[in-house]
Amino acid sequence: MSTSTRGRLRLRILLRPRGTRAQLVVALLCGLLGFALVTQVHNSTSATSRRTARPEDLVRILDDLSSRSDRLRAEIDTLRATRDRLASGQDSGSAALAETQRRATVLGILAGTIPASGPGITITVRDPQSTVRADALLGAVEELRDAGAEALQLSGVGGPAVRLVASTALLDAPGGGVLAGSTRLRPPYRLLAIGDPATLRAAMRIPGGVVDTVAASPGADATITVSNATSVAALQALPRPRYARPAGAS
Amino acid sequence: MIGAAALVLGVVLGLIIQPTVPAGLEPYLPIAVVAALDALFGGLRAALDRAFDDKVFVVSFVANVLVAALIVFLGDQLGVGGQLTTAVVVVLGIRIFANAAAIRRHLFGA
């Protein structure tokens, strides 16, 4: 019989219940041990009481916690810096976007690609004999621009209203009327201008100005009406440049 | 057999009741548990050596627990409680290892 089989046999004998008083005391102690073991495990895992810990343990715990809080504070600083950087980046981005949109609006009104409305005047040119020439209308347009008109529109009989922009040409059409860009218009003409109404009207009425010039043509006259809600709705298609490209951004 | 059953019973009771340790006993309970574990392993080894004696076991169990607690108490009074706790745990741990090795030799022959 080897040592290990003997050992196991003895273990089996040990496991046999014997009801002596000494055995009961041993059992009591074992039970107490189990109870204390579980209690201690429970107690140390719940870790509720710093109250009874030793001073040096408390110092160690405090050290651990303060070094941990230092680390976390450093992390907070880093993250906060990142957040500020991102937020300011976003701010400047949205400011740039707002500025770009504002600029697009201004340029759109100037180029005639978006409708405009506001205070302004309407000049109606009646010309039954078709004697008003294009240069009289061109003079009116230039006078209005000088007076600060921001959006201009010319309408007449025989064609759609034309938004007058920097590139719009006004020509005498063969056989009467005018060519505004590529649109032929016949009298009576209506010229809409958005700007300060008083200034615009004064510019039209100066002696020897537009009204006088039109009136000098046989049978023609010009009347001016002021409106606080002049609407310039005609649009000019934006030509796409065929050759020119923005420089700088390659 | 009764001892093993009582051990399990104690564990179950502890799990059910979940008692809170009194503040005064708190530093001594872990040491007492380790000391009792040492006594338990010692008893098991003695039983396998056919040298087990109920009286010896009971006395060694109680004495182990009390002496361990006393050492820690003394250490606390002297201001070296932490170090003495470590010392007691180390010594008892070594003894538990030695006893476990003896038990292993008995049961597995290796």
Side-chain angles (χ1 to χ4, degrees):
Chain A
M1 203 152 63
S2 75
T3 339
S4 61
T5 30
R6 259 205 316 268
R8 277 174 214 158
L9 194 66
R10 243 173 264 154
L11 187 66
R12 216 166 301 145
I13 294 167
L14 281 179
L15 288 177
R16 213 170 284 155
R18 282 162 297 168
T20 65
R21 206 177 58 142
Q23 282 287 311
L24 289 178
V25 176
V26 170
L28 182 73
L29 288 180
C30 286
L32 203 65
L33 171 61
F35 186 75
L37 194 70
V38 171
T39 304
Q40 172 59 25
V41 168
H42 175 70
N43 193 46
S44 66
T45 45
S46 61
T48 47
S49 49
R50 298 271 174 269
R51 174 164 61 91
T52 53
R54 291 189 193 85
E56 55 263 46
D57 289 347
L58 289 176
V59 168
R60 191 180 44 76
I61 293 170
L62 189 65
D63 276 353
D64 285 354
L65 286 178
S66 57
S67 70
R68 184 151 166 250
S69 85
D70 281 352
R71 255 199 330 277
L72 290 175
R73 201 165 289 136
E75 199 181 332
I76 287 174
D77 286 347
T78 318
L79 291 175
R80 194 170 282 156
T82 309
R83 187 201 63 192
D84 288 351
R85 210 173 52 242
L86 289 175
S88 69
Q90 195 191 27
D91 277 356
S92 65
S94 61
L97 185 64
E99 170 65 20
T100 308
Q101 275 167 349
R102 197 185 60 79
R103 196 175 282 231
T105 307
V106 170
L107 291 175
I109 289 175
L110 208 61
T113 54
I114 56 176
S117 68
I121 63 171
T122 303
I123 303 152
T124 309
V125 177
R126 274 177 304 183
D127 180 21
Q129 299 168 32
S130 200
T131 54
V132 173
R133 301 175 58 89
D135 58 358
L137 291 175
L138 187 61
V141 168
E142 286 176 348
E143 199 68 54
L144 287 168
R145 280 189 184 138
D146 279 348
E150 291 166 353
L152 293 164
Q153 173 181 323
L154 179 66
S155 58
V157 176
V162 177
R163 181 79 167 261
L164 300 178
V165 296
S167 59
T168 308
L170 285 173
L171 291 171
D172 285 324
V178 296
L179 265 175
S182 56
T183 307
R184 179 170 183 164
L185 298 173
R186 292 181 174 281
Y189 308 110
R190 284 180 75 225
L191 187 55
L192 270 58
I194 292 178
D196 177 33
T199 311
L200 294 177
R201 193 168 66 163
M204 292 298 98
R205 281 186 172 165
I206 52 170
V210 173
V211 174
D212 286 354
T213 310
V214 171
S217 302
D221 65 44
T223 53
I224 297 169
T225 46
V226 171
S227 162
N228 270 328
T230 307
S231 174
V232 171
L235 297 182
Q236 185 75 254
L238 198 62
R240 178 184 293 271
R242 281 175 63 194
Y243 304 107
R245 293 285 176 271
S250 55
Chain B
M1 182 64 198
I2 298 179
L7 190 67
V8 173
L9 188 72
V11 169
V12 171
L13 266 181
L15 285 177
I16 292 171
I17 301 176
Q18 304 232 330
T20 48
V21 184
L25 281 183
E26 199 144 354
Y28 310 117
L29 185 63
I31 290 301
V33 167
V34 175
L37 275 178
D38 173 52
L40 189 70
F41 275 89
L44 201 57
R45 180 192 182 174
L48 291 170
D49 283 343
R50 285 184 205 254
F52 184 78
D53 185 276
D54 298 332
K55 207 171 100 188
V56 172
F57 175 76
V58 172
V59 170
S60 80
F61 188 103
V62 175
N64 250 6
V65 169
L66 287 183
V67 168
L70 188 71
I71 289 175
V72 175
F73 171 75
L74 208 62
D76 272 343
Q77 300 306 308
L78 294 174
V80 288
Q83 290 91 320
L84 267 185
T85 305
T86 312
V88 170
V89 168
V90 167
V91 170
L92 291 178
I94 290 172
R95 283 175 48 126
I96 290 175
F97 257 100
N99 285 333
I103 294 167
R104 188 198 67 216
R105 269 194 293 278
H106 272 296
L107 294 185
F108 305 110

